[in-house]
Amino acid sequence: VLEWSTLLSSLPKYGGAFYTRWGRSSCPSNSSMVYKGQVTGPSWLSVGGGPNWQCLPDDPEYNPSAPTAPQSSLRAAQYRHGSVNNHRMPCTVCESGKRVSQLMIPAKTRCPPGEWTLEYKGYLGSSAEYKSNSGELLKNHYFRGSYICVDENPESLTGKSHPREGPQIYQVNAACGNVTGALTNCPPYQANKALSCVVCSK
């Protein structure tokens, strides 16, 4: 009779779920790295480009017949909070072992009970809602980015700041109080407090 470990080793290896760890250049110890890079997006002054962030690899490969002079570009994203304010933002794409389901949950600090594994936790981040001094939204002065879970212990690609032309990632809060479209469940949600997030797998 084969030992259980021998039997397991003879089975084909199936991959797990993939997720991006925003704000870190490594994967958690229970996951393996697929690639690492930097967070990118369109200029914050643009209304064009894609609506989601891209984790651009550090080692790009170009097709020899690639067209020249494309009409859209990706720029280095930067944090807009805390000790890493204005710094470029790293990212890592990770594989969660043999756990095949992956989920990002906003406004949580723990994974659901059961067989869920915490990959990492942090704060919800996205592009800003730019407004004039009168409070009016400047709809031609921002782009709509994805909501991502930025690691609670963010790293910086460089120790220096860079010009504020690339996409900027801000912390997100719930709309409460006397504002248009305010949430109906305030409390427990609180205005002007950064929303947490977790990335879980099972």
Side-chain angles (χ1 to χ4, degrees):
V1 179
L2 289 174
E3 294 282 344
W4 179 247
S5 59
T6 305
L7 178 61
L8 287 178
S9 65
S10 67
L11 295 174
K13 181 184 182 298
Y14 294 100
F18 296 91
Y19 63 91
T20 302
R21 190 181 191 188
W22 303 100
R24 297 284 292 186
S25 57
S26 61
C27 294
S29 59
N30 56 6
S31 295
S32 58
M33 181 187 297
V34 179
Y35 73 88
K36 67 183 183 71
Q38 61 179 314
V39 183
T40 62
S43 168
W44 72 283
L45 299 171
S46 171
V47 295
N52 58 325
W53 310 104
Q54 292 292 307
C55 185
L56 209 62
D58 288 336
D59 53 348
E61 300 171 355
Y62 283 93
N63 188 319
S65 60
T68 58
Q71 298 301 306
S72 186
S73 64
L74 289 172
R75 299 169 188 252
Q78 62 184 138
Y79 298 101
R80 294 297 293 150
H81 67 273
S83 62
V84 290
N85 190 44
N86 287 339
H87 289 194
R88 297 174 189 262
M89 185 175 178
C91 54
T92 314
V93 175
C94 309
E95 183 184 10
S96 59
K98 294 184 179 180
R99 300 178 298 278
V100 296
S101 298
Q102 177 267 321
L103 178 65
M104 189 276 277
I105 308 176
K108 286 291 184 181
T109 60
R110 295 171 294 176
C111 293
E115 299 178 358
W116 288 97
T117 296
L118 175 67
E119 297 293 341
Y120 75 94
K121 58 183 177 177
Y123 295 96
L124 201 63
S126 191
S127 52
E129 298 173 342
Y130 287 99
K131 299 179 181 180
S132 66
N133 292 334
S134 65
E136 180 183 358
L137 279 175
L138 300 176
K139 296 185 178 180
N140 63 340
H141 207 57
Y142 73 99
F143 84 99
R144 193 177 295 277
S146 302
Y147 289 101
I148 59 176
C149 189
V150 180
D151 196 279
E152 66 178 353
N153 296 306
E155 295 176 339
S156 175
L157 279 178
T158 66
K160 301 176 182 179
S161 60
H162 69 102
R164 289 178 52 188
E165 188 173 333
Q168 302 170 48
I169 300 176
Y170 291 76
Q171 292 179 333
V172 179
N173 70 293
C176 293
N178 188 25
V179 296
T180 302
L183 299 179
T184 57
N185 50 344
C186 299
Y189 284 96
Q190 303 174 39
N192 300 319
K193 191 165 186 179
L195 289 168
S196 54
C197 58
V198 288
V199 173
C200 308
S201 65
K202 75 170 183 176

